[in-house]
Amino acid sequence: MTSKSTMREVASKAGVSIATVSRVINSPDEVPTETVERVRAAMRYLNYRPNINGRRLKMAQTRSVGVLVPTMANPVFATSVQGIEQAAHEDGLTVLLTSSNYDPQRELGAVSTLLNNRVDGLILTLANADDNPVIDLLKAENIPFVLLFNQPARKDVASISVDNARSAYDMTQAMIAQGHRSLAMVAGRFESSDRSKQRFEGFGKALSDAGLGAARLCQVGFGETELFTPLKSFLTGPDAVTGLVCSTDMLAIAAMSACREHGLSVPGDVSVGGIDGIAVGGLISPKLCSAVQPTQEMGQQALAFLRGLIRGQTNPQSLILPHQLSTGESIGPARHPSSPRL
Amino acid sequence: MTSKSTMREVASKAGVSIATVSRVINSPDEVPTETVERVRAAMRYLNYRPNINGRRLKMAQTRSVGVLVPTMANPVFATSVQGIEQAAHEDGLTVLLTSSNYDPQRELGAVSTLLNNRVDGLILTLANADDNPVIDLLKAENIPFVLLFNQPARKDVASISVDNARSAYDMTQAMIAQGHRSLAMVAGRFESSDRSKQRFEGFGKALSDAGLGAARLCQVGFGETELFTPLKSFLTGPDAVTGLVCSTDMLAIAAMSACREHGLSVPGDVSVGGIDGIAVGGLISPKLCSAVQPTQEMGQQALAFLRGLIRGQTNPQSLILPHQLSTGESIGPARHPSSPRL
DNA sequence: ACTGACATTGTAAACGTTTCAAATGTTCAT
DNA sequence: ATGAACATTTGAAACGTTTACAATGTCAGT
């Protein structure tokens, strides 16, 4: 019995027309209880399962939403997807998931697939939220969408994020307050992440506001966890830094690992700060100091925004959530200049 | 221009019939180049996008697969989903994602939603792979599916996993080899995870094979990261253990944190081992010793199996992958009995 | 010129729903 | 009895595809 039964069969089994069966499914209150029961019985008997594709073809809506994230391998996105899925479930929506692997080239294809599936709307984390063909496409086709984590300059797109520059600024300032004067940022490639770029700008601003020199940058590929070599010139030699501000928590954790590989202790020799607030950061030693954002709630909120847009709400809302510096142990006072390392 | 255009419009624009348009889409080689070009031009002009729901209604297949995991918040599942998504993308399949939040009650509903969507097949991580109504349902309706991480007793369902009991056995043995005699397992609730139960059995067997006493168990809720209180009686007092075997890496990381909160060092005072091999385990200090499974590849492989089943392959394959104990620093020699803690 | 083979295109019937308009049946005040 | 008002049900036309089958046009061989 491969669940092949159709509305027509249910109808004839129950001795009614397919219109009545449809009504039993969609608005049972408009049908007398006796009939409802008879039809329901026939459904059970035949193991009936409505063919959602028939319905979708007929109706305008599909009751599904598309999600695009850079990767599931970073808990910050995985957690947000968890939030999206949860909210979607409560709303009876189906989630179609795709990932771009941080490759801007793949974004358009992924979104196109989603659109072919006729999703009612999209939640996206894009490499670059400004001047992105994906956004142009969605605007042109008038498909509701919400950006998540992206913090676009333009005000005509819905988005949920923290203030990226500000979070990096605050983290950097916290380090400066601990006496750090020689800092560098470890950041994911700017082409892959506008957050990365915005955070670097915040980093630079904090430095210049404090009258410190040019912002040093160690740009690494996403998904990269081996930072021993990339960080070598930052951690050793005459230009060694005393603190690393990292554009994500994953990078921060990888950076802490690299520090240890270089024989440096955190925060004794080097302070390390991250941004994102992934859960595991609070469990490790030293506890990662991070600019925390409520990732899962942001996912839920994104879905709530999207629902509004799908329902026809016209002006896209943007929400910039406050981040919060966690009390981490990975940041400490700077080594005193008079006690040079090594 | 809200992408409303249909095949019929394209056809009339190009001066052909809809059958020809369909042919241009599905088998361009059977259509003369000149016609193909004319139709393609019309498509571009009208911004045509095939309505996949029309197609799905007509065809048997939907070219979509459903995925059910306990949660995205645990990297082990997130990574597997990443693998699934990647393989699906290469195959031009769409992924429908749901999660159960470790609640067996929700599994049936989630799968039902997926089936309503007429997915061609499913990849599932269930709370309990034996005697599960979800499996009965899928068997009854003859829907292809592959279990991921579950290691079912019955041989008529496809599955991909490691040998759960064995991985715990090996981990435990490694601890015993380091002189540990007083061990406990930290495990997620058995009702939520058959892996947890199987791993506990492996733990118990290793103990009894070594002639050590009864297996002690600290069962905790999934998603729980605060293990200070649950572990109190295991880490302090006369019955304090020298090693904790954890049923997952996430629990292991949380357990290490709890040890530190209790003022104990890892592995100095307590050794901690995990199972799963999540990436972050290799970055923290001390590096987590784990029974590693190739999570992402397992996701890809699951999709490959599923594809086979969808294509009509009749006998479901099961794959039990070898795990590998990582060289972690979280396990060390047992404290010598003559140097009691505190 | 006629035939058959072949290339190209078109016609029309599904697929399983939803829903509008119309039909049927029932009740009740007159 | 009649008809208005209402409750219940039905018939039939979409929705946008795919595809079997038929139709048309072309051309080589006779």
Side-chain angles (χ1 to χ4, degrees):
Chain A
M1 201 55 46
T2 60
S3 169
K4 302 186 82 110
S5 66
T6 150
M7 249 179 66
R8 204 161 255 101
E9 303 178 50
V10 172
S12 87
K13 178 85 196 171
V16 296
S17 76
I18 61 169
T20 299
V21 176
S22 178
R23 243 179 281 107
V24 167
I25 294 172
N26 298 303
S27 39
D29 344 281
E30 296 175 13
V31 180
T33 353
E34 196 270 334
T35 311
V36 170
E37 269 323 312
R38 201 148 35 91
V39 171
R40 291 240 169 97
M43 286 179 173
R44 273 191 301 275
Y45 180 79
L46 291 170
N47 227 292
Y48 172 72
R49 189 182 290 285
N51 186 326
I52 213 165
N53 294 315
R55 168 183 312 200
R56 281 177 175 163
L57 178 57
K58 183 66 188 164
M59 317 252 283
Q61 302 217 344
T62 59
R63 298 207 53 75
S64 67
V65 300
V67 173
L68 172 65
V69 291
T71 177
M72 283 290 170
N74 187 330
V76 75
F77 302 122
T79 311
S80 76
V81 169
Q82 174 77 3
I84 294 171
E85 203 284 319
Q86 191 175 309
H89 175 81
E90 285 167 13
D91 244 30
L93 296 171
T94 300
V95 171
L96 275 59
L97 180 74
T98 56
S99 62
S100 67
N101 265 302
Y102 283 108
D103 181 358
Q105 309 292 325
R106 278 182 61 168
E107 291 177 348
L108 196 57
V111 167
S112 208
T113 302
L114 259 16
L115 291 184
N116 283 347
N117 276 273
R118 288 292 197 277
V119 291
D120 292 338
L122 296 161
I123 297 177
L124 311 165
T125 300
L126 298 171
N128 182 357
D130 297 310
D131 187 36
N132 188 318
V134 169
I135 295 187
D136 299 339
L137 171 66
L138 295 174
K139 279 282 175 193
E141 303 215 0
N142 204 30
I143 312 278
F145 70 99
V146 176
L147 298 181
L148 183 53
F149 298 117
N150 291 113
Q151 185 187 357
R154 53 196 288 187
K155 282 305 159 219
D156 61 340
V157 303
S159 66
I160 300 195
S161 69
V162 291
D163 185 331
N164 285 305
R166 189 64 196 271
S167 59
Y169 186 95
D170 290 352
M171 174 60 69
T172 309
Q173 212 172 37
M175 289 219 195
I176 294 172
Q178 294 266 27
H180 293 273
R181 293 294 175 268
S182 175
L183 296 169
M185 172 165 258
V186 183
R189 303 219 167 281
F190 295 165
E191 320 87 82
S192 306
S193 167
D194 52 6
R195 281 88 62 211
S196 193
K197 188 155 142 231
Q198 290 163 344
R199 289 169 185 185
F200 180 64
E201 280 159 14
F203 172 70
K205 180 153 193 301
L207 289 188
S208 70
D209 281 4
L212 299 175
R216 297 176 63 191
L217 172 66
C218 175
Q219 218 175 331
V220 301
F222 277 102
E224 199 54 68
T225 56
E226 184 44 81
L227 301 185
F228 181 87
T229 310
L231 282 177
K232 189 164 202 164
S233 64
F234 294 86
L235 294 175
T236 61
D239 294 337
V241 302
T242 65
L244 291 172
V245 178
C246 304
S247 75
T248 73
D249 279 1
M250 279 307 282
L251 285 176
I253 292 174
M256 284 171 52
S257 174
C259 287
R260 282 189 295 268
E261 292 181 57
H262 278 288
L264 303 170
S265 87
V266 179
D269 296 314
V270 185
S271 288
V272 175
I275 299 175
D276 279 348
I278 62 179
V280 77
L283 296 174
I284 64 177
S285 169
K287 187 165 176 296
L288 179 62
C289 181
S290 179
V292 179
Q293 49 189 333
T295 317
Q296 182 158 349
E297 289 75 10
M298 287 167 76
Q300 295 174 287
Q301 185 63 244
L303 193 89
F305 273 17
L306 184 59
R307 202 184 343 153
L309 291 176
I310 291 173
R311 282 187 188 159
Q313 189 186 94
T314 165
N315 59 326
Q317 304 221 42
S318 276
L319 188 58
I320 298 199
L321 290 153
H323 56 271
Q324 201 172 349
L325 283 202
S326 67
T327 62
E329 307 151 346
S330 63
I331 290 185
R335 265 184 302 97
H336 193 278
S338 66
S339 65
R341 174 193 315 161
L342 189 81
Chain B
M1 202 56 44
T2 61
S3 167
K4 301 187 84 112
S5 66
T6 149
M7 250 179 66
R8 204 161 256 100
E9 303 178 49
V10 172
S12 88
K13 179 86 196 170
V16 297
S17 75
I18 60 170
T20 300
V21 176
S22 178
R23 254 180 253 113
V24 167
I25 294 173
N26 297 304
S27 39
D29 343 280
E30 296 175 14
V31 180
T33 353
E34 197 269 334
T35 311
V36 170
E37 269 323 312
R38 200 148 37 91
V39 171
R40 292 240 170 99
M43 285 179 174
R44 273 191 301 275
Y45 180 79
L46 290 169
N47 228 290
Y48 171 73
R49 188 182 290 287
N51 186 327
I52 212 165
N53 294 314
R55 166 183 312 198
R56 281 176 176 166
L57 180 55
K58 183 67 188 165
M59 316 251 284
Q61 301 216 345
T62 59
R63 301 210 48 79
S64 67
V65 300
V67 173
L68 172 66
V69 292
T71 178
M72 283 289 167
N74 187 331
V76 75
F77 301 122
T79 312
S80 75
V81 170
Q82 175 77 2
I84 293 170
E85 204 282 320
Q86 192 174 309
H89 175 81
E90 286 167 13
D91 244 30
L93 296 170
T94 300
V95 171
L96 275 58
L97 179 74
T98 57
S99 63
S100 67
N101 264 303
Y102 283 108
D103 181 357
Q105 309 291 324
R106 277 181 62 169
E107 292 177 348
L108 196 56
V111 167
S112 208
T113 303
L114 258 16
L115 291 185
N116 283 347
N117 276 273
R118 289 292 197 277
V119 292
D120 292 338
L122 296 161
I123 297 177
L124 312 165
T125 301
L126 298 171
N128 182 356
D130 296 311
D131 187 35
N132 189 318
V134 169
I135 295 187
D136 299 339
L137 171 66
L138 295 174
K139 279 281 174 193
E141 302 215 0
N142 204 28
I143 312 277
F145 69 99
V146 176
L147 299 181
L148 183 53
F149 298 117
N150 291 114
Q151 185 187 357
R154 52 197 288 187
K155 283 304 159 220
D156 61 339
V157 303
S159 66
I160 301 197
S161 69
V162 292
D163 185 333
N164 285 305
R166 190 64 196 272
S167 59
Y169 186 96
D170 291 351
M171 175 60 69
T172 309
Q173 212 171 39
M175 290 220 194
I176 294 173
Q178 293 267 26
H180 292 274
R181 293 295 173 269
S182 176
L183 295 168
M185 173 164 256
V186 183
R189 302 219 169 283
F190 294 165
E191 320 88 82
S192 305
S193 165
D194 53 6
R195 281 89 63 212
S196 192
K197 190 156 140 227
Q198 291 162 344
R199 289 168 185 186
F200 180 64
E201 279 158 14
F203 172 69
K205 180 150 192 303
L207 290 188
S208 70
D209 281 3
L212 298 174
R216 296 176 64 190
L217 172 66
C218 175
Q219 217 174 332
V220 301
F222 277 102
E224 199 55 69
T225 56
E226 184 44 83
L227 301 185
F228 180 88
T229 310
L231 281 178
K232 188 164 203 164
S233 64
F234 293 87
L235 294 175
T236 62
D239 294 338
V241 302
T242 64
L244 291 172
V245 178
C246 303
S247 76
T248 73
D249 279 0
M250 278 308 281
L251 284 176
I253 292 173
M256 283 170 53
S257 174
C259 287
R260 284 188 293 269
E261 292 181 57
H262 278 288
L264 304 170
S265 86
V266 178
D269 297 315
V270 186
S271 288
V272 176
I275 298 174
D276 280 348
I278 62 179
V280 76
L283 296 174
I284 64 178
S285 169
K287 186 165 176 296
L288 178 61
C289 181
S290 178
V292 180
Q293 49 189 332
T295 318
Q296 184 159 348
E297 289 75 10
M298 287 168 75
Q300 295 173 287
Q301 185 62 246
L303 192 88
F305 273 17
L306 184 60
R307 205 185 340 153
L309 292 175
I310 291 173
R311 282 188 186 157
Q313 188 184 95
T314 165
N315 60 325
Q317 303 219 43
S318 276
L319 188 57
I320 299 201
L321 290 153
H323 56 271
Q324 200 173 350
L325 284 202
S326 67
T327 62
E329 306 151 346
S330 64
I331 290 185
R335 264 184 304 97
H336 193 276
S338 66
S339 64
R341 173 193 315 162
L342 190 78

